[in-house]
Amino acid sequence: MSSTWPDKFVIGVTGNIATGKSVVRKMLEHLGAYGIDADALSHRVMLKGAPGYQPIVATFGKWILSPEGQIDRKKLGDLVFPNPEALAMLEKILHPLIRQSIDILIRRSTQPVIVIEAIKLFEGDLHQHCDTVWVSDADEKTQFKRLVDKRGMSHNIAQQRVTMQDPQAKKLAAAKVIIRNDESFEKTWEQVSQAWEKYIPK
């Protein structure tokens, strides 16, 4: 069990963009885990009135705001994703706030197994607080297709998002479990349920 959360067994689920991390998290939730989506938390902490809002506006300027005064995530994304320095500045604001939110959610949870879905699991120290790391994997062609078909990205932006990430190989090398997620839903479910049986303490 995690030394940070001694009464919980914590699974960290990561993988590059559009490799199907959310599908794996939802399957683990179905099997009984309490799910936390770090990406959704990052959206929450930058809402108007939330702790990330003011520092982000102060760092990047009011031009990233929508007419309603909320941070326009598309404008912010278009700025930071091609610019590693700007991305690092954003992450410096967001990561401690997300980490804090995760801690609160885990301590409040009544379920003994927790799954944290986080694309940046290894960039901070979050992976060190997990009992096991699972990596969702798909080939680049599948990632690209998902970004264009499901998320409505242009070909150029999709290509940029796929190629600019840390190598998936680094994540795979650190994984306890690898879930291949570029075939059928049934095959993914089979892998997730088998890994649950094998690795999750009863």
Side-chain angles (χ1 to χ4, degrees):
M1 296 285 180
S2 165
S3 57
T4 312
W5 304 289
D7 56 338
K8 309 290 185 192
F9 185 84
V10 182
I11 307 165
V13 172
T14 192
N16 277 1
I17 195 167
T19 52
K21 295 179 294 301
S22 296
V23 170
V24 174
R25 171 177 54 82
K26 285 169 186 165
M27 287 179 175
L28 287 166
E29 286 174 9
H30 182 73
L31 288 163
Y34 175 73
I36 297 172
D37 179 353
D39 194 37
L41 289 178
S42 77
H43 298 167
R44 245 180 264 169
V45 299
M46 62 170 83
L47 290 172
K48 200 172 184 178
Y53 179 87
Q54 210 46 57
I56 292 170
V57 175
T59 304
F60 298 104
K62 289 186 175 174
W63 70 276
I64 61 165
L65 297 177
S66 70
E68 297 75 41
Q70 293 286 3
I71 290 168
D72 183 324
R73 293 205 319 272
K74 187 183 182 310
K75 279 185 190 169
L76 185 60
D78 290 347
L79 169 71
V80 301
F81 284 115
N83 183 338
E85 204 176 297
L87 185 59
M89 285 159 74
L90 178 63
E91 286 172 356
K92 198 175 171 187
I93 297 166
L94 290 178
H95 282 182
L97 298 171
I98 295 165
R99 179 76 177 70
Q100 203 177 9
S101 302
I102 288 170
D103 186 59
I104 291 166
L105 290 170
I106 291 177
R107 289 182 196 282
R108 281 185 191 162
S109 164
T110 53
Q111 279 119 298
V113 181
I114 308 289
V115 54
I116 304 168
E117 177 197 336
I119 196 166
K120 298 280 187 178
L121 193 74
F122 290 107
E123 279 72 356
D125 68 343
L126 191 52
H127 66 284
Q128 293 167 6
H129 301 277
C130 296
D131 295 289
T132 183
V133 172
W134 295 21
V135 174
S136 178
D137 194 30
D139 59 47
E140 283 197 1
K141 194 173 158 192
T142 303
Q143 289 174 271
F144 181 77
K145 188 170 174 8
R146 284 173 181 162
L147 290 175
V148 173
D149 294 354
K150 292 185 181 172
R151 300 199 201 173
M153 285 187 188
S154 70
H155 284 247
N156 286 349
I157 295 283
Q159 197 61 51
Q160 187 187 77
R161 294 284 170 96
V162 169
T163 52
M164 68 156 297
Q165 297 207 308
D166 279 349
Q168 175 79 341
K170 275 168 68 178
K171 295 181 171 82
L172 294 170
K176 174 83 174 177
V177 174
I178 295 168
I179 305 289
R180 286 294 311 174
N181 203 348
D182 44 15
E183 292 184 60
S184 69
F185 185 83
E186 288 74 20
K187 284 199 173 166
T188 303
W189 169 249
E190 197 178 298
Q191 294 170 76
V192 171
S193 50
Q194 281 174 1
W196 174 272
E197 284 301 316
K198 187 172 178 182
Y199 295 109
I200 307 307
K202 296 293 173 283

PDB file of all heavy atoms in Angstrom, residues 19 68-69 71 89 106 112 151 158:
ATOM      1  N   THR A  19      -4.014   7.679 -26.301  1.00  0.00           N
ATOM      2  CA  THR A  19      -3.693   6.242 -26.229  1.00  0.00           C
ATOM      3  C   THR A  19      -4.798   5.476 -25.505  1.00  0.00           C
ATOM      4  O   THR A  19      -4.715   4.267 -25.352  1.00  0.00           O
ATOM      5  CB  THR A  19      -2.343   5.993 -25.505  1.00  0.00           C
ATOM      6  OG1 THR A  19      -2.364   6.672 -24.249  1.00  0.00           O
ATOM      7  CG2 THR A  19      -1.160   6.465 -26.338  1.00  0.00           C
ATOM      8  N   GLU A  68     -16.638  35.737 -21.440  1.00  0.00           N
ATOM      9  CA  GLU A  68     -17.255  35.558 -20.108  1.00  0.00           C
ATOM     10  C   GLU A  68     -16.231  35.696 -18.979  1.00  0.00           C
ATOM     11  O   GLU A  68     -16.577  35.612 -17.802  1.00  0.00           O
ATOM     12  CB  GLU A  68     -17.924  34.174 -19.983  1.00  0.00           C
ATOM     13  CG  GLU A  68     -19.075  33.914 -20.937  1.00  0.00           C
ATOM     14  CD  GLU A  68     -18.612  33.649 -22.364  1.00  0.00           C
ATOM     15  OE1 GLU A  68     -17.601  32.942 -22.547  1.00  0.00           O
ATOM     16  OE2 GLU A  68     -19.257  34.184 -23.299  1.00  0.00           O
ATOM     17  N   GLY A  69     -14.964  35.877 -19.364  1.00  0.00           N
ATOM     18  CA  GLY A  69     -13.930  36.051 -18.336  1.00  0.00           C
ATOM     19  C   GLY A  69     -13.284  34.756 -17.860  1.00  0.00           C
ATOM     20  O   GLY A  69     -12.455  34.752 -16.963  1.00  0.00           O
ATOM     21  N   ILE A  71     -10.844  31.361 -18.520  1.00  0.00           N
ATOM     22  CA  ILE A  71      -9.655  31.062 -19.328  1.00  0.00           C
ATOM     23  C   ILE A  71     -10.093  30.205 -20.512  1.00  0.00           C
ATOM     24  O   ILE A  71     -10.742  29.173 -20.335  1.00  0.00           O
ATOM     25  CB  ILE A  71      -8.583  30.346 -18.482  1.00  0.00           C
ATOM     26  CG1 ILE A  71      -7.985  31.332 -17.454  1.00  0.00           C
ATOM     27  CG2 ILE A  71      -7.490  29.746 -19.364  1.00  0.00           C
ATOM     28  CD1 ILE A  71      -7.138  30.696 -16.376  1.00  0.00           C
ATOM     29  N   MET A  89       5.981  26.761 -17.509  1.00  0.00           N
ATOM     30  CA  MET A  89       5.446  27.806 -16.627  1.00  0.00           C
ATOM     31  C   MET A  89       4.022  27.459 -16.171  1.00  0.00           C
ATOM     32  O   MET A  89       3.668  27.614 -15.008  1.00  0.00           O
ATOM     33  CB  MET A  89       5.451  29.167 -17.348  1.00  0.00           C
ATOM     34  CG  MET A  89       6.841  29.787 -17.454  1.00  0.00           C
ATOM     35  SD  MET A  89       6.940  31.032 -18.770  1.00  0.00           S
ATOM     36  CE  MET A  89       6.053  32.381 -18.042  1.00  0.00           C
ATOM     37  N   ILE A 106      -8.420  11.413  -2.452  1.00  0.00           N
ATOM     38  CA  ILE A 106      -8.039  10.063  -2.003  1.00  0.00           C
ATOM     39  C   ILE A 106      -8.370   9.885  -0.529  1.00  0.00           C
ATOM     40  O   ILE A 106      -8.912   8.852  -0.109  1.00  0.00           O
ATOM     41  CB  ILE A 106      -6.541   9.789  -2.280  1.00  0.00           C
ATOM     42  CG1 ILE A 106      -6.311   9.671  -3.802  1.00  0.00           C
ATOM     43  CG2 ILE A 106      -6.077   8.505  -1.583  1.00  0.00           C
ATOM     44  CD1 ILE A 106      -4.878   9.464  -4.217  1.00  0.00           C
ATOM     45  N   PRO A 112     -10.995   1.153  -1.298  1.00  0.00           N
ATOM     46  CA  PRO A 112      -9.595   0.856  -0.985  1.00  0.00           C
ATOM     47  C   PRO A 112      -8.651   0.970  -2.195  1.00  0.00           C
ATOM     48  O   PRO A 112      -7.452   1.136  -2.032  1.00  0.00           O
ATOM     49  CB  PRO A 112      -9.633  -0.584  -0.471  1.00  0.00           C
ATOM     50  CG  PRO A 112     -10.870  -1.175  -1.072  1.00  0.00           C
ATOM     51  CD  PRO A 112     -11.843  -0.060  -1.259  1.00  0.00           C
ATOM     52  N   ARG A 151     -11.710  14.277 -31.514  1.00  0.00           N
ATOM     53  CA  ARG A 151     -11.536  15.575 -30.843  1.00  0.00           C
ATOM     54  C   ARG A 151     -11.596  16.756 -31.800  1.00  0.00           C
ATOM     55  O   ARG A 151     -11.444  17.903 -31.392  1.00  0.00           O
ATOM     56  CB  ARG A 151     -10.205  15.598 -30.070  1.00  0.00           C
ATOM     57  CG  ARG A 151     -10.130  14.508 -29.005  1.00  0.00           C
ATOM     58  CD  ARG A 151      -9.080  14.797 -27.973  1.00  0.00           C
ATOM     59  NE  ARG A 151      -8.672  13.594 -27.272  1.00  0.00           N
ATOM     60  CZ  ARG A 151      -7.672  13.534 -26.409  1.00  0.00           C
ATOM     61  NH1 ARG A 151      -6.974  14.614 -26.140  1.00  0.00           N
ATOM     62  NH2 ARG A 151      -7.371  12.404 -25.807  1.00  0.00           N
ATOM     63  N   ALA A 158      -2.986  17.986 -34.671  1.00  0.00           N
ATOM     64  CA  ALA A 158      -2.922  16.594 -34.197  1.00  0.00           C
ATOM     65  C   ALA A 158      -1.494  16.057 -34.329  1.00  0.00           C
ATOM     66  O   ALA A 158      -0.964  15.429 -33.399  1.00  0.00           O
ATOM     67  CB  ALA A 158      -3.891  15.721 -34.981  1.00  0.00           C
TER      68      ALA A 158
END
